[in-house]
Structure formats: structure tokens, C-alpha cells
Amino acid sequence: MVRVLSSIDKYGYVAKRELPVKGTPSAESATNAAPNGPTVESDKIANIHRTMVNFYLLLRSQRLYEVSHPQRFATLGLAYDSLRSVAGHHKFELHVRRDGLSSSALGDALLPDATGEMLALSSTLRQAGIRRILVLPKVSQEEVDILAELVKVSLMTTQHAGAAQTSTKTADNEDVGTRDGWWIKSFAERDVEGILVNAQVDRKVDTLLTSLIATLVAHGGHSPRVASENTVRLPGFDDLIATLK
């Protein structure tokens, strides 16, 4: 079960602190001596939530403004600074769910969503074929810009192809594989290394292997099993071996 985090006091007030007994350290001095767990957690939630709001604004401006518009540049800068901040020295992992957004940094709990922006962003990303986003510390502003542009392109492609889609389980599985391949190919063609989409993030990311697979997908591989130039599929193990030879 996914739990929802909120930094807002449930009852609208802060509990009164008892006065310290004479000769004992006050609660305030004890707080100064050691980090306040709830406060640190609340700051982390607020920081990630602010990052997602900035990213959502970037995706909206990408659709509303021309590439050279000052407003788009402003939202791009805010989104990049926020993503770079939450990635820190390790990584930032985002999970896109039907009922909102979650992150491993928060124990996979849903981000608070009082205004509905997280649900709207989740819906946009899912329509673009995104289930997970991994932002690495080496991410650049150009790569964030590329991600926003590719989300826009993917949404346009989905809207055109949506009427012809069937709702069978087999078709859904094939569509997921095709979309994953499209993201890998699109990132490889643009040399994006600081962002991964729909990558397996439950283990340490092997950037070398990821780059090899992305290159293989981008150039079509050496396998005769590719039936169509217009069909993008994820490479198999023997495809990878053929590329390395």
C-alpha cells in the first residue's frame, strides 16, 4: 500500500512544549545538539515537491512557448537547478504512478498533492510512456531541455496513434517495449547520459552497459531478426555480443 506524506500539521497547530525541569536541558537546546528528524524529512519532501512543480511548469511552457521565448528559458533554469539539487552527489529516482508521484528518497511514498499538480504531472508522464526517471549528478541543463522536448514529441505521437490502439494485454506489452526502445534510441541519438527513462533503478546503474545498449538500439544492431526499420525493439543478448565483436 502506498502511503501519502504531508508536511502539514494534521490538527493545524503545534503541540505545546512542556517547560523543562530546573537543572535539566531544555528541548530546544537538545534540538540544537542533534538534527531534528521530522524537520529534515519535511525539508526533503518540500524540496522534492518544489522540484516536481518546477519540472511540471517546464513541460507546460514547452507546449505554450516558442523555443527562444524568455519564459521557457526561465522555467528551464529553475527545473534544472531543482533537479540538480535533489540529485546531489548520488541520484534522484522518480516513480510515476496512476495516483501521483513517488521517490525512493521518501521511501516510495506519494508526494503531497494539495493542488493536483503532482497528479497532472503523473498523467502527462504516463501518456509520454514514462514510468521511471533517474537523474544522475552529471545531468546538464541541455539534457533537461532535451527531456522536456522529447516528452512533448512523445505526447504528440501518442495522440496521433491513440485511436488505432487496441486495449488487449498483448498490445499493451508490445507498446511498453516499443516506447522503452524509443526513449533509449532518442537519448542515444542526443548523447544524453545524465538522465535515464524506464531504466532498472533497483540496482547500481552500469552506465557503460547502458551506453552500449543505447548505441545498439540507435544504430539498429547487427541481428537479422529486425523485421522493420520503423520498429524499435529492445536488443537481446546476442545482439549485444554481435555489437561488441
Side-chain angles (χ1 to χ4, degrees):
M1 179 180 294
V2 178
R3 56 192 174 86
V4 179
L5 294 175
S6 177
S7 56
I8 302 175
D9 184 12
K10 180 177 179 181
Y11 300 103
Y13 63 89
V14 179
K16 296 182 179 180
R17 298 175 178 173
E18 296 182 359
L19 293 176
V21 179
K22 185 176 181 180
T24 62
S26 65
E28 184 175 351
S29 62
T31 300
N32 293 332
N36 191 322
T39 300
V40 173
E41 188 69 13
S42 297
D43 290 344
K44 183 189 296 184
I45 295 170
N47 192 24
I48 295 177
H49 184 274
R50 181 169 54 251
T51 298
M52 292 298 96
V53 170
N54 289 338
F55 184 56
Y56 179 54
L57 292 177
L58 171 62
L59 296 184
R60 291 185 60 184
S61 68
Q62 191 79 18
R63 298 193 298 266
L64 296 175
Y65 301 106
E66 296 293 333
V67 176
S68 59
H69 196 283
Q71 182 63 31
R72 199 192 74 85
F73 275 119
T75 55
L76 172 60
L78 287 175
Y80 167 70
D81 290 341
S82 299
L83 287 169
R84 182 65 184 83
S85 175
V86 295
H89 298 289
H90 185 43
K91 66 181 180 182
F92 171 63
E93 176 187 337
L94 181 71
H95 294 272
V96 182
R97 305 180 184 275
R98 290 186 177 275
D99 50 353
L101 301 171
S102 66
S103 173
S104 59
L106 304 176
D108 288 329
L110 288 177
L111 286 169
D113 192 18
T115 59
E117 290 173 315
M118 299 300 100
L119 186 60
L121 177 56
S122 170
S123 177
T124 297
L125 294 177
R126 285 191 297 107
Q127 290 177 40
I130 297 178
R131 304 185 306 279
R132 293 182 298 273
I133 297 178
L134 185 64
V135 180
L136 304 179
K138 62 181 178 180
V139 64
S140 67
Q141 181 168 304
E142 181 183 3
E143 291 176 331
V144 175
D145 193 14
I146 290 173
L147 173 61
E149 176 61 27
L150 289 177
V151 169
K152 178 181 177 180
V153 172
S154 183
L155 288 173
M156 294 174 60
T157 304
T158 302
Q159 291 171 1
H160 289 311
Q165 290 288 336
T166 61
S167 59
T168 64
K169 183 175 181 181
T170 301
D172 287 344
N173 290 338
E174 290 177 351
D175 182 63
V176 168
T178 301
R179 299 296 287 278
D180 287 355
W182 182 86
W183 277 104
I184 293 175
K185 179 177 181 292
S186 298
F187 275 179
E189 291 174 343
R190 295 162 178 80
D191 296 323
V192 175
E193 297 181 350
I195 302 175
L196 299 176
V197 167
N198 298 340
Q200 293 295 330
V201 294
D202 54 345
R203 58 178 180 268
K204 184 179 179 180
V205 177
D206 189 333
T207 55
L208 176 58
L209 180 58
T210 302
S211 299
L212 287 172
I213 295 176
T215 302
L216 177 61
V217 173
H219 295 283
H222 296 82
S223 175
R225 290 179 295 166
V226 179
S228 172
E229 293 181 357
N230 297 325
T231 301
V232 178
R233 65 171 182 81
L234 292 176
F237 181 76
D238 48 350
D239 294 325
L240 183 59
I241 295 297
T243 302
L244 292 175
K245 289 181 178 179

